[in-house]
Structure formats: structure tokens, C-alpha cells
Amino acid sequence: MKKQKLSFSTLLQAGCSAILFISCLLPWLNITSPQEFLRGEFSLINMPVQTVSDTGIMTNTFPPAGSIFDYYRIVLYVILFFIFINIFIQLIKKIPLFTCYSCLLPTCFSYLFWARVADCGNYLECAGIGLYLTNIFGTIAIAAAWTDLGRNYEIHRKLFSFCWKWSMLCFVLPIILIPLSGFLRIQTFDIHIIQQIVFAFTTVCFIIWAIGIMQIPFLIYAKIVNQISKQKNHQVRHF
């Protein structure tokens, strides 16, 4: 069997995924204000949860072990696992689509996290090195992957059609989730079971919804890349 040649884009995706994996373990947030309940450097995995007391005071606290808010770490570890294995997948068999979806959630989340940094007051002091690296190398990995897909748009036409239908469905997904979550609460009597079922259900639905919405600008970008590639090929044929 002929060995697949590694292109620059493939190596770029693998390298950026490796840096992204390390970046998620590095500090994303530096809380130094004496007014904060928790102070120190926090990565994506050990990030405190922001809570609001009855008096309206916001504090950063770690969720109790085994609580419903503590389960979010399981999702984060799964995301990290996919980023890690993407390094080897790209080196063994070029699959740009895997780069897209393994890097999409942490990268987009890192951009949204700047609102959390703004709460600390000073951007330069509160934003950790991990947040900067995630912004930069996660974006590069995703852009390189979607550029590859855009250049081979015709080959992946069925895939793009599926992704567009997925994204369109995500606009009505929140409307469907409201009655379904109410149904779960009615049918289940144990409050602990309710929390576990609702958390698992909403987490899966949120990931499906988030990816479907976040991939829209990249689908548009892939279409633009395809049009540019067609124009270049058309000009080359004329010469």
C-alpha cells in the first residue's frame, strides 16, 4: 500500500493540535484581585465556577465533589482526549474534518472566555498564556482544516450538505428542548436522577447545538475557498 505523503497543511494541523492540547492545561485565568474568594492560576480543567449569592455578590468557587456542576470536567476531559488523538490521526491518515470538530469547541470557548477575563478588570494581568495560545493555534488548526476541505469541496459535497442541514436544524433545536426537559422532570421522581438525566441530556444537546452554530462561518469560508480555487483552475487552463 502506498504511503500517504504528509503535506504542510497536515503537519500544521497536527502541530497546532499538540500546542492546543498543552494550552488547555496551561493557565487561562489569573485571579489576583484581593476581592476574589479564590485567587491563583486556573486552567480549563480546574476552572472555578462563578456563583451568585442571595445578596447578589459574585464569587469564584470550586463546585463540591460529585455535584452536578462538577460533572462538566468529564466533558472537558473528553474534548482534550479528542484533541490529543487528532495529533496522531493527522500524521497517520489525513482527516481534516477531525481537526475541525476536535479543536472547534475549546477554541470558540476560549474566545467567549474573554468576557470572564473582563470581569477581573485588567486583560493583560488576568488572561493566562494558555488562553492566548488556544486563541492563536486553535484558530490556525481550524482554518487550515477548512481550507483543505474547501479546496476539495466537490469530493466532500455530501458532507457539506449534511453540515448545512445540521446547522439549520440547530436554529429550532432550543424550541424542541424546552418541552422535552419538562417531560423529563414530570416522568422522574427522584431529584438526584432528575439532575443526572437532565444534565446528560442537555450537555449532549448543547454540544450538538454549539457545533452546529459555530460551524456556519466555516462552511461559508469553505465555499469561498472553493470558488477561489475554481477561478484559479479556470485561469490556469486558459494559459
Side-chain angles (χ1 to χ4, degrees):
M1 185 167 57
K2 186 178 179 181
K3 187 177 180 181
Q4 188 179 18
K5 184 179 178 181
L6 295 177
S7 64
F8 172 75
S9 177
T10 301
L11 294 174
L12 182 63
Q13 292 174 50
C16 288
S17 294
I19 298 175
L20 179 62
F21 175 79
I22 297 172
S23 301
C24 290
L25 303 177
L26 293 174
W28 275 32
L29 181 67
N30 297 317
I31 300 179
T32 57
S33 173
Q35 298 177 351
E36 297 285 350
F37 177 72
L38 289 176
R39 292 189 293 274
E41 295 182 342
F42 303 98
S43 67
L44 178 64
I45 297 301
N46 71 338
M47 195 68 65
V49 175
Q50 197 170 65
T51 59
V52 182
S53 65
D54 295 335
T55 58
I57 300 175
M58 283 188 176
T59 56
N60 289 288
T61 59
F62 287 116
S67 68
I68 196 69
F69 295 104
D70 194 41
Y71 295 155
Y72 80 95
R73 287 196 177 90
I74 299 175
V75 178
L76 297 178
Y77 281 122
V78 171
I79 292 172
L80 281 178
F81 171 75
F82 282 118
I83 298 173
F84 181 74
I85 64 173
N86 181 59
I87 303 169
F88 304 99
I89 287 177
Q90 300 308 318
L91 296 176
I92 297 172
K93 183 175 178 62
K94 180 182 176 181
I95 308 179
L97 188 67
F98 200 89
T99 299
C100 299
Y101 293 115
S102 63
C103 299
L104 189 61
L105 281 177
T107 302
C108 291
F109 182 66
S110 69
Y111 279 103
L112 295 175
F113 202 80
W114 283 100
R116 181 77 181 273
V117 173
D119 293 338
C120 298
N122 191 317
Y123 284 94
L124 295 177
E125 292 181 0
C126 296
I129 183 65
L131 189 60
Y132 288 106
L133 293 177
T134 302
N135 285 169
I136 296 170
F137 290 98
T139 303
I140 294 174
I142 295 171
W146 281 102
T147 301
D148 266 358
L149 291 171
R151 288 172 178 170
N152 301 281
Y153 195 93
E154 298 302 324
I155 299 175
H156 303 290
R157 181 170 288 278
K158 291 184 178 179
L159 169 66
F160 283 112
S161 177
F162 169 77
C163 289
W164 274 114
K165 291 176 182 177
W166 174 8
S167 296
M168 295 303 103
L169 180 63
C170 288
F171 284 103
V172 298
L173 186 59
I175 301 174
I176 299 174
L177 291 181
I178 295 173
L180 281 179
S181 61
F183 175 78
L184 285 173
R185 292 180 181 277
I186 293 171
Q187 296 295 319
T188 314
F189 298 99
D190 191 325
I191 188 65
H192 185 63
I193 295 177
I194 292 175
Q195 290 179 338
Q196 290 183 333
I197 294 176
V198 172
F199 177 81
F201 176 75
T202 54
T203 298
V204 172
C205 291
F206 174 77
I207 291 175
I208 293 173
W209 174 83
I211 294 177
I213 295 298
M214 289 186 291
Q215 72 181 356
I216 292 176
F218 298 106
L219 289 170
I220 297 173
Y221 169 75
K223 186 65 176 178
I224 294 173
V225 170
N226 176 56
Q227 294 298 323
I228 294 174
S229 297
K230 281 183 177 180
Q231 291 178 0
K232 287 184 178 179
N233 291 334
H234 183 70
Q235 291 174 356
V236 170
R237 288 173 186 173
H238 276 71
F239 283 105

